[in-house]
Amino acid sequence: MDLTSRAAALDTEHRDTDLRHLFRLPPGVYLDGNSLGALPAAVPGAVHEVVDRHWGQDLIASWNRHGWWSAPQRVGDRIGRLVGAAPGQVVVGDTTSVALFQAVSAALTLRPDRRAIVIDPASFPTDLYVVAGLAELTGHHVVTASPDGIPALLDSRSDVAVVVASHVDFRTGRLWDLPTVTRAAHRAGAITVWDLSHSAGAVPVELDRHEVDLAVGCGYKYFNGGPGAPAFTYVGHRHQAGYVPAIRAWHGHAEPFAMEPTHRFADDVARARGGTPPMLSLLALEAALGVFDGLDIDDVRRRSSSLTGFLIEALDELAPEVEVVTPRDPEARGSHVSVAHPQAYGMSQALIARGVTGDFRAPDLLRLGVGAPYLTHRDVLHAVRQLRAVLDGGEAEALDGPRRTVT
């Protein structure tokens, strides 16, 4: 069967999870959902309501009247369903960087007699920066290991307090073995902090089932919450009484409006709340999550695996000169496919000029991110055909010059 027929057949097979009608999509093919998800159609109206009525008319009364105060935990529970967390374990409100700082700092207090933090050296740079900064502040030392090497490392030492790992490699799209790494950490007496930014909303995570300790993730990638959408923090029930993050802000106080001069943590996951959250972004994220209502994350995963698998198949047939660096095994990849090429930046710019939006990551990777709910196999095939045209026309070389600020 040729690729055109294959795409049509696969779109028919997965038609029940085609949710394009729930989004506002620009012309062309958008393959950057791993950086910023597309706009759900319900969000503009929801944001208008918040601005015009909540803020414009009800003002401060909206904290009570429109549930602003409860939103971090209410939205957290909606995310919790999608990452396998029972209610009462997820809050939303900070940036991912702040959430990670808070989670790792709290994890260190849970293992006060241990002095090592383990992190994957290929982690997203913010994760590396946060861990390095905390180590400097606290006197801990950082040990690096790839997630597939972490279990052996942990078997050889007893000083590891915290293991920080990303569920999906942001460059290659490799999906790491969260259950195995988590079990190894627990055998060694360490706390796990997982960064789910490139998996939450696309891949089943099952935090409770795998007894993950702490986790963070962003709201603007596969949750489609909009630019700068707030992050989420997961604190497993068994750790909530001892969860003591470094920054102690008033929304995490046991009685925020008692206005006491000293801090007392809330008894539940509210202790993971920080300062006043960005309500416009938080409520936009809440509206965006409506896309997942009635949808099982396993169904999203099946669609994503089919789309990324077909994308790799089309690349193999139509553009064999680019190197697919993403695992071909669907169990070992997230929801984006990366290809290596010396002119990857020029390729990304040429594709954008042709209406196909991906992104570039140094030094030589073109990333094609699959937001499964709003992409089809026909879209994927069209994108690869445009890549073929870029290569045939030498367009990448012509555009492989000075780089834009955001690549």
Side-chain angles (χ1 to χ4, degrees):
M1 186 183 296
D2 63 30
L3 289 173
T4 300
S5 299
R6 281 269 295 146
L10 288 169
D11 282 337
T12 298
E13 179 183 341
H14 292 275
R15 62 181 177 272
D16 291 345
T17 51
D18 183 347
L19 301 181
R20 284 174 296 168
H21 62 287
L22 297 180
F23 290 84
R24 290 189 183 179
L25 297 170
V29 178
Y30 186 70
L31 287 169
D32 213 4
N34 54 312
S35 283
L36 176 64
L39 173 65
V43 170
V47 172
H48 182 269
E49 170 76 4
V50 173
V51 172
D52 188 59
R53 182 181 174 196
H54 295 198
W55 182 14
Q57 297 179 38
D58 295 336
L59 290 165
I60 200 71
S62 294
W63 287 100
N64 293 314
R65 187 172 299 163
H66 298 296
W68 283 9
W69 185 264
S70 62
Q73 286 154 266
R74 182 178 71 243
V75 180
D77 282 344
R78 294 186 72 172
I79 287 176
R81 182 183 76 82
L82 299 170
V83 294
Q89 298 180 98
V90 180
V91 297
V92 180
D94 288 313
T95 67
T96 311
S97 301
V98 172
L100 183 67
F101 178 90
Q102 292 285 75
V104 177
S105 68
L108 293 175
T109 69
L110 292 169
R111 295 295 183 268
D113 298 327
R114 295 175 172 226
R115 309 309 300 168
I117 307 171
V118 173
I119 188 169
D120 177 7
S123 295
F124 191 78
T126 280
D127 297 32
L128 298 172
Y129 306 156
V130 165
V131 167
L134 268 169
E136 290 178 14
L137 285 172
T138 61
H140 286 75
H141 58 276
V142 178
V143 179
T144 58
S146 175
D148 57 355
I150 287 176
L153 172 71
L154 293 172
D155 287 342
S156 68
R157 55 193 306 160
S158 59
D159 63 336
V160 176
V162 184
V163 174
V164 180
S166 295
H167 197 191
V168 171
D169 185 298
F170 81 101
R171 290 189 177 91
T172 67
R174 177 167 181 175
L175 177 67
W176 294 108
D177 189 344
L178 178 147
T180 295
V181 174
T182 301
R183 285 194 300 268
H186 290 168
R187 284 197 307 270
I191 297 292
T192 55
V193 180
W194 283 93
D195 184 341
L196 309 178
S197 293
H198 286 84
S199 61
V203 176
V205 183
E206 299 182 293
L207 293 174
D208 287 351
R209 177 186 173 190
H210 299 305
E211 299 185 324
V212 167
D213 301 300
L214 308 171
V216 302
C218 75
Y220 50 80
K221 299 183 190 295
Y222 296 115
F223 287 141
N224 311 298
F232 65 90
T233 300
Y234 164 86
V235 184
H237 278 307
R238 67 191 181 281
H239 290 304
Q240 288 179 10
Y243 184 83
V244 181
I247 301 172
R248 304 175 188 189
W250 74 296
H251 279 230
H253 195 281
E255 296 183 75
F257 287 91
M259 300 296 174
E260 297 174 356
T262 57
H263 194 276
R264 291 186 293 119
F265 278 108
D267 291 332
D268 57 9
V269 76
R271 67 196 294 127
R273 291 176 62 164
T276 305
M279 292 309 303
L280 298 183
S281 294
L282 178 51
L283 297 175
L285 172 60
E286 182 173 33
L289 291 170
V291 167
F292 294 94
D293 288 348
L295 189 65
D296 193 289
I297 195 65
D298 290 325
D299 295 329
V300 177
R301 174 61 169 164
R302 278 188 287 273
R303 184 179 183 88
S304 166
S305 295
S306 180
L307 286 162
T308 54
F310 183 66
L311 174 54
I312 292 171
E313 178 184 343
L315 287 166
D316 286 344
E317 182 168 330
L318 299 179
E321 61 266 60
V322 302
E323 178 191 1
V324 176
V325 300
T326 301
R328 294 169 183 275
D329 177 2
E331 298 301 315
R333 69 172 179 263
S335 199
H336 72 269
V337 173
S338 294
V339 299
H341 191 276
Q343 296 171 343
Y345 177 73
M347 285 166 51
S348 72
Q349 296 304 301
L351 283 171
I352 290 170
R354 287 177 166 269
V356 176
T357 302
D359 66 17
F360 166 79
R361 288 295 177 264
D364 62 354
L365 293 181
L366 169 68
R367 297 193 311 177
L368 303 171
V370 173
Y374 52 80
L375 286 172
T376 67
H377 297 80
R378 290 183 180 89
D379 290 333
V380 165
L381 180 56
H382 174 76
V384 178
R385 284 176 170 156
Q386 293 304 304
L387 175 59
R388 179 70 265 162
V390 166
L391 294 168
D392 288 343
E395 297 169 26
E397 183 176 358
L399 293 173
D400 198 26
R403 294 175 183 174
R404 297 174 182 267
T405 301
V406 178
T407 63

